[in-house]
Amino acid sequence: MINQAYRLIAPKQIRADFVDLKMDDENIIVRPTYLSICAADQRYYTGSRGRVIMKQKLPMALIHESVGEVVYDPKGEYKVGTNVVMIPNTPMEKDDIIKENYLRSSQFRASGFDGFMQNVVSMRRDLIIPFKMEPRVAVLLELTSVVMNAVENFKKISNERKNVIGIWGNGNLGFISALVLKKTYPDTKIIVFGVEEHKMAYFSFVDDTYLINNIPSDLKVDHAFECVGGRGSEAAINQIIDYIQPQGTISLMGVSETPVGINTRMVLEKGLTLLGNSRSNYDDFKKSVELMETYPDVCEYLSTIISEEVVVQSIKDMHKAFEDDLNNDFKTVMKWDI
Ligand SMILES: NC(=O)C1=CN([C@@H]2O[C@H](COP(=O)(O)OP(=O)(O)OC[C@H]3O[C@@H](n4cnc5c(N)ncnc54)[C@H](OP(=O)(O)O)[C@@H]3O)[C@@H](O)[C@H]2O)C=CC1
Ligand SMILES: O=C(CO)[C@H](O)[C@H](O)COP(=O)(O)O
Ligand SMILES: [Zn+2]
């Protein structure tokens, strides 16, 4: 069967390509209904990954955050119309120790092979999960699963003193990290640190918020999550090192294009643990579906960070979504109607 993939071929240029659709018993055909734009997609769309990476990875359909409806299951396990979330990380081998999202052999959609900007997607049976919630909000499951992966790692590594957790970054990732941490540790004081005051109003469920140039000098956090990335990473990580208690854990989540200069002297002196977190696997998605289905308030809060919904019926609409996203405070969601 022939499918269409909407591939980025150069910065800000999308082309509709005819592609073969893989069809066998282990693949289920899913029609995307909602897609949301991640900072990683924007780095490709705008060309900020640099020429070498762009040359290696393009042409490629963007977007690794998507939910859809089953249109065909050769085994009949899923009814036509079932809402499912699609998992972008695609493991190629099993490993008893290393999680799939860290295996170098795993492939990740929209980072080397086609993402979800397609008419329909052929998904491996082990990479879809059915859900019962509003698809428009469920599209935030991928970002929630990334946070779930980080929180699960944090549980294993961090010391038990969790009176105060600081989150640097008051964007999408900071918001979802704060939400998941508040649900996981209801008695812990969650403090968010950011730059733009007006964005702090969204964080009504946390205990405190501070602008980074106005933090009380005696404030201390037991652990911290860095959700900044890019050019702000360095300042954020070094500020965390200043405010964190000895033997705290810093969960790093922001992606940077260039190496980041870190005050390693104080990392040593304070005995800090820096924990890298990237992407997520099936279990993280499963736990995220359970979290969102169990706590309706989580879905309600998540819906508040959808800054804009763009109905996509043409390539022009795709460009509108990406262009608008550059000016939106939080998430831009595409209602896929193509
Ligand atoms: N590890 C993973 O698997 C994943 C990583 N990411 C990465 O996480 C990063 C954040 O993504 P996302 O939340 O969507 O992006 P956002 O731009 O929405 O959030 C970043 C936030 O950090 C704020 N900020 C900038 N500098 C500082 C600082 N020094 N201290 C505190 N806050 C600061 C920004 O402020 P302002 O409003 O002024 O811009 C912004 O609100 C990106 O690099 C993204 O690629 C995303 C998804 C998954
Ligand atoms: O957003 C992410 C996961 O949700 C990651 O940041 C993304 O996978 C990074 O990919 P790339 O290396 O292509 O920038
Ligand atoms: Zn992402």
Side-chain angles (χ1 to χ4, degrees):
M1 193 178 148
I2 297 294
N3 187 24
Q4 268 194 313
Y6 301 93
R7 287 177 167 153
L8 188 75
I9 54 168
K12 302 198 175 191
Q13 286 183 51
I14 296 172
R15 179 181 74 195
D17 281 351
F18 289 105
V19 290
D20 260 345
L21 192 66
K22 185 172 180 177
M23 298 197 53
D24 62 35
D25 275 5
E26 285 318 307
N27 280 270
I28 293 171
I29 309 302
V30 179
R31 187 179 65 80
T33 49
Y34 285 90
L35 302 89
S36 56
I37 298 174
C38 174
D41 298 307
Q42 273 301 358
R43 289 191 290 267
Y44 291 113
Y45 184 75
T46 55
S48 66
R49 290 299 310 266
R51 282 187 57 189
V52 175
I53 296 284
M54 296 292 281
K55 212 172 163 61
Q56 275 169 7
K57 303 226 181 191
L58 303 192
M60 171 175 81
L62 295 179
I63 302 291
H64 55 264
E65 303 178 11
S66 180
V67 293
E69 288 174 352
V70 170
V71 291
Y72 177 62
D73 176 3
K75 284 192 175 169
E77 187 189 343
Y78 291 98
K79 275 197 197 143
V80 170
T82 306
N83 282 316
V84 292
V85 61
M86 297 181 271
I87 300 173
N89 190 68
T90 308
M92 296 298 169
E93 60 174 322
K94 283 217 173 305
D95 191 294
D96 293 340
I97 307 284
I98 300 170
K99 257 184 104 168
E100 293 110 78
N101 44 313
Y102 295 117
L103 286 172
R104 305 304 289 167
S105 56
S106 292
Q107 296 188 331
F108 194 82
R109 285 192 184 266
S111 181
F113 86 117
D114 281 334
F116 296 123
M117 289 180 74
Q118 308 188 37
N119 286 1
V120 289
V121 184
S122 177
M123 288 298 296
R124 252 165 54 178
R125 192 171 289 281
D126 59 339
L127 294 179
I128 60 170
I129 300 176
F131 64 82
K132 289 191 172 60
M133 65 187 101
E134 225 189 297
R136 179 177 179 273
V137 181
V139 76
L140 300 182
L141 272 164
E142 195 274 341
L143 198 48
T144 308
S145 73
V146 165
V147 171
M148 198 60 80
N149 167 63
V151 171
E152 291 299 317
N153 292 340
F154 173 73
K155 279 184 196 166
K156 287 188 199 130
I157 303 288
S158 55
N159 69 40
E160 60 271 33
R161 185 175 297 153
K162 294 186 176 68
N163 298 328
V164 184
I165 298 179
I167 295 167
W168 265 254
N170 59 346
N172 305 303
L173 193 60
F175 184 93
I176 300 181
S177 298
L179 195 54
V180 174
L181 284 165
K182 196 68 210 170
K183 280 289 175 215
T184 311
Y185 302 110
D187 299 329
T188 296
K189 189 170 181 182
I190 304 290
I191 308 182
V192 173
F193 300 85
V195 178
E196 290 283 345
E197 189 155 22
H198 75 276
K199 286 166 74 172
M200 289 302 194
Y202 289 78
F203 292 73
S204 56
F205 54 88
V206 307
D207 298 277
D208 258 326
T209 61
Y210 290 102
L211 298 183
I212 54 165
N213 56 3
N214 199 20
I215 308 177
S217 56
D218 59 346
L219 189 143
K220 292 275 173 277
V221 301
D222 296 313
H223 305 283
F225 282 68
E226 178 273 320
C227 303
V228 175
R231 281 195 291 270
S233 280
E234 187 163 318
I237 295 168
N238 286 315
Q239 194 168 52
I240 291 171
I241 293 169
D242 290 343
Y243 282 92
I244 197 166
Q245 295 279 21
Q247 296 208 306
T249 295
I250 305 177
S251 297
L252 300 174
M253 297 178 82
V255 175
S256 298
E257 287 309 308
T258 48
V260 175
I262 295 179
N263 180 359
T264 55
R265 169 177 282 273
M266 283 314 286
V267 172
L268 271 54
E269 283 191 23
K270 287 189 170 180
L272 303 176
T273 301
L274 269 56
L275 188 52
N277 297 282
S278 184
R279 304 176 178 171
S280 55
N281 74 356
Y282 181 94
D283 292 342
D284 302 313
F285 270 83
K286 191 80 187 150
K287 286 187 188 121
S288 304
V289 170
E290 280 160 16
L291 178 84
M292 286 169 72
E293 287 180 345
T294 309
Y295 298 106
D297 61 325
V298 170
C299 288
E300 279 162 30
Y301 282 122
L302 286 174
S303 70
T304 65
I305 59 158
I306 298 177
S307 290
E308 185 183 355
E309 180 178 321
V310 179
V311 179
V312 171
Q313 297 177 320
S314 63
I315 289 181
K316 193 169 160 233
D317 297 333
M318 297 172 200
H319 286 296
K320 175 178 164 45
F322 277 90
E323 293 296 339
D324 287 5
D325 182 62
L326 293 170
N327 296 314
N328 285 336
D329 279 343
F330 291 98
K331 292 301 272 188
T332 308
V333 164
M334 293 187 266
K335 186 173 190 310
W336 206 237
D337 192 20
I338 195 155

mmCIF file of all heavy atoms in Angstrom, residues 38-41 43-44 49 53 57 60 64-65 88 108-112 142-143 146 253 255 257 278-280, ligand 2:
data_model
loop_
_atom_site.group_PDB
_atom_site.id
_atom_site.type_symbol
_atom_site.label_atom_id
_atom_site.label_comp_id
_atom_site.label_asym_id
_atom_site.label_seq_id
_atom_site.Cartn_x
_atom_site.Cartn_y
_atom_site.Cartn_z
ATOM 1 N N CYS A 38 7.718 19.324 19.367
ATOM 2 C CA CYS A 38 8.731 19.316 20.432
ATOM 3 C C CYS A 38 9.864 20.271 20.033
ATOM 4 O O CYS A 38 10.064 20.557 18.837
ATOM 5 C CB CYS A 38 9.275 17.900 20.586
ATOM 6 S SG CYS A 38 10.651 17.752 21.739
ATOM 7 N N ALA A 39 10.620 20.722 21.024
ATOM 8 C CA ALA A 39 11.775 21.586 20.744
ATOM 9 C C ALA A 39 12.725 20.910 19.748
ATOM 10 O O ALA A 39 13.346 21.577 18.908
ATOM 11 C CB ALA A 39 12.498 21.913 22.044
ATOM 12 N N ALA A 40 12.815 19.573 19.824
ATOM 13 C CA ALA A 40 13.704 18.840 18.902
ATOM 14 C C ALA A 40 13.240 19.010 17.453
ATOM 15 O O ALA A 40 14.064 19.163 16.545
ATOM 16 C CB ALA A 40 13.735 17.365 19.279
ATOM 17 N N ASP A 41 11.901 18.993 17.229
ATOM 18 C CA ASP A 41 11.373 19.197 15.869
ATOM 19 C C ASP A 41 11.717 20.605 15.370
ATOM 20 O O ASP A 41 12.078 20.793 14.209
ATOM 21 C CB ASP A 41 9.843 19.043 15.858
ATOM 22 C CG ASP A 41 9.395 17.661 16.277
ATOM 23 O OD1 ASP A 41 9.884 16.685 15.688
ATOM 24 O OD2 ASP A 41 8.564 17.559 17.204
ATOM 25 N N ARG A 43 14.226 22.391 16.194
ATOM 26 C CA ARG A 43 15.650 22.531 15.848
ATOM 27 C C ARG A 43 15.904 22.037 14.428
ATOM 28 O O ARG A 43 16.749 22.565 13.726
ATOM 29 C CB ARG A 43 16.529 21.769 16.861
ATOM 30 C CG ARG A 43 16.574 22.425 18.237
ATOM 31 C CD ARG A 43 17.652 21.796 19.120
ATOM 32 N NE ARG A 43 17.318 20.449 19.535
ATOM 33 C CZ ARG A 43 16.705 20.126 20.667
ATOM 34 N NH1 ARG A 43 16.368 21.068 21.528
ATOM 35 N NH2 ARG A 43 16.434 18.874 20.967
ATOM 36 N N TYR A 44 15.173 20.992 13.995
ATOM 37 C CA TYR A 44 15.299 20.547 12.598
ATOM 38 C C TYR A 44 14.597 21.520 11.660
ATOM 39 O O TYR A 44 15.131 21.898 10.619
ATOM 40 C CB TYR A 44 14.712 19.131 12.419
ATOM 41 C CG TYR A 44 15.514 18.053 13.104
ATOM 42 C CD1 TYR A 44 14.992 17.348 14.185
ATOM 43 C CD2 TYR A 44 16.796 17.744 12.675
ATOM 44 C CE1 TYR A 44 15.729 16.351 14.819
ATOM 45 C CE2 TYR A 44 17.550 16.753 13.298
ATOM 46 C CZ TYR A 44 17.005 16.069 14.372
ATOM 47 O OH TYR A 44 17.748 15.101 14.991
ATOM 48 N N ARG A 49 20.171 22.625 13.911
ATOM 49 C CA ARG A 49 21.053 21.495 14.218
ATOM 50 C C ARG A 49 22.387 21.600 13.482
ATOM 51 O O ARG A 49 23.301 20.817 13.717
ATOM 52 C CB ARG A 49 20.401 20.148 13.829
ATOM 53 C CG ARG A 49 19.232 19.697 14.654
ATOM 54 C CD ARG A 49 19.582 19.488 16.107
ATOM 55 N NE ARG A 49 20.752 18.679 16.358
ATOM 56 C CZ ARG A 49 20.746 17.377 16.581
ATOM 57 N NH1 ARG A 49 19.611 16.724 16.567
ATOM 58 N NH2 ARG A 49 21.854 16.704 16.841
ATOM 59 N N ILE A 53 24.517 17.645 10.598
ATOM 60 C CA ILE A 53 23.416 16.810 11.120
ATOM 61 C C ILE A 53 22.219 16.879 10.176
ATOM 62 O O ILE A 53 21.573 15.860 9.888
ATOM 63 C CB ILE A 53 23.010 17.273 12.548
ATOM 64 C CG1 ILE A 53 24.170 17.073 13.525
ATOM 65 C CG2 ILE A 53 21.760 16.556 13.034
ATOM 66 C CD1 ILE A 53 24.416 15.653 13.963
ATOM 67 N N LYS A 57 20.426 13.614 8.485
ATOM 68 C CA LYS A 57 19.097 13.149 8.900
ATOM 69 C C LYS A 57 17.977 13.439 7.899
ATOM 70 O O LYS A 57 16.955 12.762 7.921
ATOM 71 C CB LYS A 57 18.739 13.795 10.246
ATOM 72 C CG LYS A 57 19.783 13.494 11.326
ATOM 73 C CD LYS A 57 19.178 13.080 12.625
ATOM 74 C CE LYS A 57 20.260 12.831 13.655
ATOM 75 N NZ LYS A 57 19.780 12.184 14.860
ATOM 76 N N MET A 60 13.277 13.821 6.198
ATOM 77 C CA MET A 60 12.698 13.056 7.313
ATOM 78 C C MET A 60 11.380 13.707 7.742
ATOM 79 O O MET A 60 11.296 14.937 7.851
ATOM 80 C CB MET A 60 13.713 13.091 8.464
ATOM 81 C CG MET A 60 13.239 12.551 9.777
ATOM 82 S SD MET A 60 14.585 12.527 10.979
ATOM 83 C CE MET A 60 14.585 14.228 11.546
ATOM 84 N N HIS A 64 7.607 13.389 16.965
ATOM 85 C CA HIS A 64 7.638 12.121 17.710
ATOM 86 C C HIS A 64 6.596 12.094 18.836
ATOM 87 O O HIS A 64 6.634 11.230 19.685
ATOM 88 C CB HIS A 64 9.047 11.854 18.255
ATOM 89 C CG HIS A 64 9.598 12.976 19.088
ATOM 90 N ND1 HIS A 64 10.420 13.948 18.574
ATOM 91 C CD2 HIS A 64 9.434 13.282 20.386
ATOM 92 C CE1 HIS A 64 10.747 14.802 19.527
ATOM 93 N NE2 HIS A 64 10.140 14.421 20.642
ATOM 94 N N GLU A 65 5.712 13.110 18.856
ATOM 95 C CA GLU A 65 4.633 13.120 19.856
ATOM 96 C C GLU A 65 3.323 12.997 19.093
ATOM 97 O O GLU A 65 2.914 13.950 18.417
ATOM 98 C CB GLU A 65 4.628 14.445 20.630
ATOM 99 C CG GLU A 65 5.932 14.759 21.333
ATOM 100 C CD GLU A 65 5.893 16.128 22.055
ATOM 101 O OE1 GLU A 65 4.818 16.735 22.183
ATOM 102 O OE2 GLU A 65 6.971 16.571 22.483
ATOM 103 N N PRO A 88 7.626 6.489 20.006
ATOM 104 C CA PRO A 88 8.614 6.804 18.952
ATOM 105 C C PRO A 88 9.919 6.021 19.061
ATOM 106 O O PRO A 88 10.597 5.796 18.057
ATOM 107 C CB PRO A 88 8.869 8.304 19.146
ATOM 108 C CG PRO A 88 8.504 8.590 20.565
ATOM 109 C CD PRO A 88 7.443 7.589 20.957
ATOM 110 N N PHE A 108 14.883 6.261 16.769
ATOM 111 C CA PHE A 108 13.903 7.181 17.330
ATOM 112 C C PHE A 108 13.268 7.953 16.197
ATOM 113 O O PHE A 108 13.961 8.537 15.363
ATOM 114 C CB PHE A 108 14.592 8.129 18.324
ATOM 115 C CG PHE A 108 13.619 8.883 19.193
ATOM 116 C CD1 PHE A 108 13.072 8.294 20.333
ATOM 117 C CD2 PHE A 108 13.239 10.182 18.877
ATOM 118 C CE1 PHE A 108 12.165 8.993 21.133
ATOM 119 C CE2 PHE A 108 12.339 10.888 19.667
ATOM 120 C CZ PHE A 108 11.794 10.283 20.809
ATOM 121 N N ARG A 109 11.939 7.935 16.185
ATOM 122 C CA ARG A 109 11.230 8.626 15.101
ATOM 123 C C ARG A 109 11.518 10.124 15.121
ATOM 124 O O ARG A 109 11.626 10.722 16.199
ATOM 125 C CB ARG A 109 9.723 8.389 15.215
ATOM 126 C CG ARG A 109 9.333 6.990 14.784
ATOM 127 C CD ARG A 109 7.856 6.867 14.618
ATOM 128 N NE ARG A 109 7.491 5.503 14.301
ATOM 129 C CZ ARG A 109 7.331 5.040 13.066
ATOM 130 N NH1 ARG A 109 7.512 5.806 12.018
ATOM 131 N NH2 ARG A 109 6.979 3.773 12.886
ATOM 132 N N ALA A 110 11.635 10.686 13.931
ATOM 133 C CA ALA A 110 11.922 12.112 13.745
ATOM 134 C C ALA A 110 13.305 12.492 14.265
ATOM 135 O O ALA A 110 13.573 13.654 14.570
ATOM 136 C CB ALA A 110 10.844 12.998 14.382
ATOM 137 N N SER A 111 14.170 11.485 14.408
ATOM 138 C CA SER A 111 15.574 11.753 14.717
ATOM 139 C C SER A 111 16.413 10.708 13.983
ATOM 140 O O SER A 111 17.136 9.945 14.606
ATOM 141 C CB SER A 111 15.834 11.699 16.221
ATOM 142 O OG SER A 111 17.195 11.985 16.469
ATOM 143 N N GLY A 112 16.236 10.635 12.679
ATOM 144 C CA GLY A 112 16.998 9.659 11.904
ATOM 145 C C GLY A 112 16.100 8.815 11.016
ATOM 146 O O GLY A 112 16.531 8.302 9.999
ATOM 147 N N GLU A 142 3.795 11.613 25.307
ATOM 148 C CA GLU A 142 5.226 11.367 25.059
ATOM 149 C C GLU A 142 6.077 12.190 26.007
ATOM 150 O O GLU A 142 6.996 11.671 26.656
ATOM 151 C CB GLU A 142 5.590 11.665 23.597
ATOM 152 C CG GLU A 142 6.950 11.089 23.178
ATOM 153 C CD GLU A 142 8.166 11.980 23.473
ATOM 154 O OE1 GLU A 142 8.007 13.196 23.672
ATOM 155 O OE2 GLU A 142 9.287 11.452 23.515
ATOM 156 N N LEU A 143 5.746 13.486 26.134
ATOM 157 C CA LEU A 143 6.544 14.335 27.018
ATOM 158 C C LEU A 143 6.376 13.884 28.475
ATOM 159 O O LEU A 143 7.329 13.912 29.261
ATOM 160 C CB LEU A 143 6.138 15.811 26.825
ATOM 161 C CG LEU A 143 7.107 16.864 27.319
ATOM 162 C CD1 LEU A 143 8.535 16.605 26.875
ATOM 163 C CD2 LEU A 143 6.683 18.255 26.855
ATOM 164 N N VAL A 146 8.636 10.954 29.035
ATOM 165 C CA VAL A 146 10.035 11.369 29.191
ATOM 166 C C VAL A 146 10.288 11.753 30.655
ATOM 167 O O VAL A 146 11.301 11.382 31.268
ATOM 168 C CB VAL A 146 10.339 12.567 28.250
ATOM 169 C CG1 VAL A 146 11.632 13.256 28.636
ATOM 170 C CG2 VAL A 146 10.396 12.108 26.801
ATOM 171 N N MET A 253 17.858 17.223 31.856
ATOM 172 C CA MET A 253 16.910 16.843 30.801
ATOM 173 C C MET A 253 16.979 17.729 29.562
ATOM 174 O O MET A 253 16.568 17.322 28.477
ATOM 175 C CB MET A 253 15.481 16.866 31.362
ATOM 176 C CG MET A 253 15.298 15.854 32.476
ATOM 177 S SD MET A 253 13.661 15.924 33.165
ATOM 178 C CE MET A 253 12.801 14.948 31.959
ATOM 179 N N VAL A 255 18.263 19.600 26.285
ATOM 180 C CA VAL A 255 19.203 19.231 25.219
ATOM 181 C C VAL A 255 19.957 20.486 24.769
ATOM 182 O O VAL A 255 19.345 21.529 24.552
ATOM 183 C CB VAL A 255 18.438 18.636 24.009
ATOM 184 C CG1 VAL A 255 19.384 18.351 22.854
ATOM 185 C CG2 VAL A 255 17.687 17.373 24.423
ATOM 186 N N GLU A 257 22.991 22.074 22.040
ATOM 187 C CA GLU A 257 23.702 21.818 20.784
ATOM 188 C C GLU A 257 25.213 21.864 20.976
ATOM 189 O O GLU A 257 25.957 21.309 20.172
ATOM 190 C CB GLU A 257 23.315 22.861 19.728
ATOM 191 C CG GLU A 257 21.924 22.690 19.175
ATOM 192 C CD GLU A 257 21.644 21.273 18.702
ATOM 193 O OE1 GLU A 257 22.436 20.734 17.922
ATOM 194 O OE2 GLU A 257 20.638 20.706 19.145
ATOM 195 N N SER A 278 17.055 10.828 28.877
ATOM 196 C CA SER A 278 16.614 11.096 27.508
ATOM 197 C C SER A 278 15.558 10.084 27.086
ATOM 198 O O SER A 278 15.668 8.891 27.360
ATOM 199 C CB SER A 278 17.813 11.006 26.566
ATOM 200 O OG SER A 278 17.403 11.353 25.264
ATOM 201 N N ARG A 279 14.513 10.611 26.474
ATOM 202 C CA ARG A 279 13.486 9.789 25.843
ATOM 203 C C ARG A 279 12.827 8.835 26.846
ATOM 204 O O ARG A 279 12.914 9.027 28.058
ATOM 205 C CB ARG A 279 14.069 9.061 24.628
ATOM 206 C CG ARG A 279 14.671 10.047 23.642
ATOM 207 C CD ARG A 279 15.351 9.383 22.465
ATOM 208 N NE ARG A 279 15.874 10.387 21.535
ATOM 209 C CZ ARG A 279 16.653 10.124 20.521
ATOM 210 N NH1 ARG A 279 17.052 8.890 20.273
ATOM 211 N NH2 ARG A 279 17.069 11.081 19.720
ATOM 212 N N SER A 280 12.175 7.783 26.344
ATOM 213 C CA SER A 280 11.370 6.932 27.223
ATOM 214 C C SER A 280 11.086 5.606 26.526
ATOM 215 O O SER A 280 11.281 5.482 25.308
ATOM 216 C CB SER A 280 10.045 7.633 27.529
ATOM 217 O OG SER A 280 9.392 7.967 26.306
HETATM 218 O O1 LIG B 2 12.633 15.400 22.476
HETATM 219 C C1 LIG B 2 13.168 14.392 22.797
HETATM 220 C C2 LIG B 2 12.438 13.222 23.286
HETATM 221 O O2 LIG B 2 11.105 13.582 23.454
HETATM 222 C C3 LIG B 2 14.635 14.334 22.679
HETATM 223 O O3 LIG B 2 15.123 15.545 23.076
HETATM 224 C C4 LIG B 2 14.915 14.098 21.255
HETATM 225 O O4 LIG B 2 14.762 12.751 21.044
HETATM 226 C C5 LIG B 2 16.288 14.542 20.866
HETATM 227 O O5 LIG B 2 16.435 14.134 19.561
HETATM 228 P P1 LIG B 2 17.526 14.747 18.634
HETATM 229 O O6 LIG B 2 18.791 14.085 19.047
HETATM 230 O O7 LIG B 2 17.102 14.386 17.263
HETATM 231 O O8 LIG B 2 17.516 16.228 18.888
#
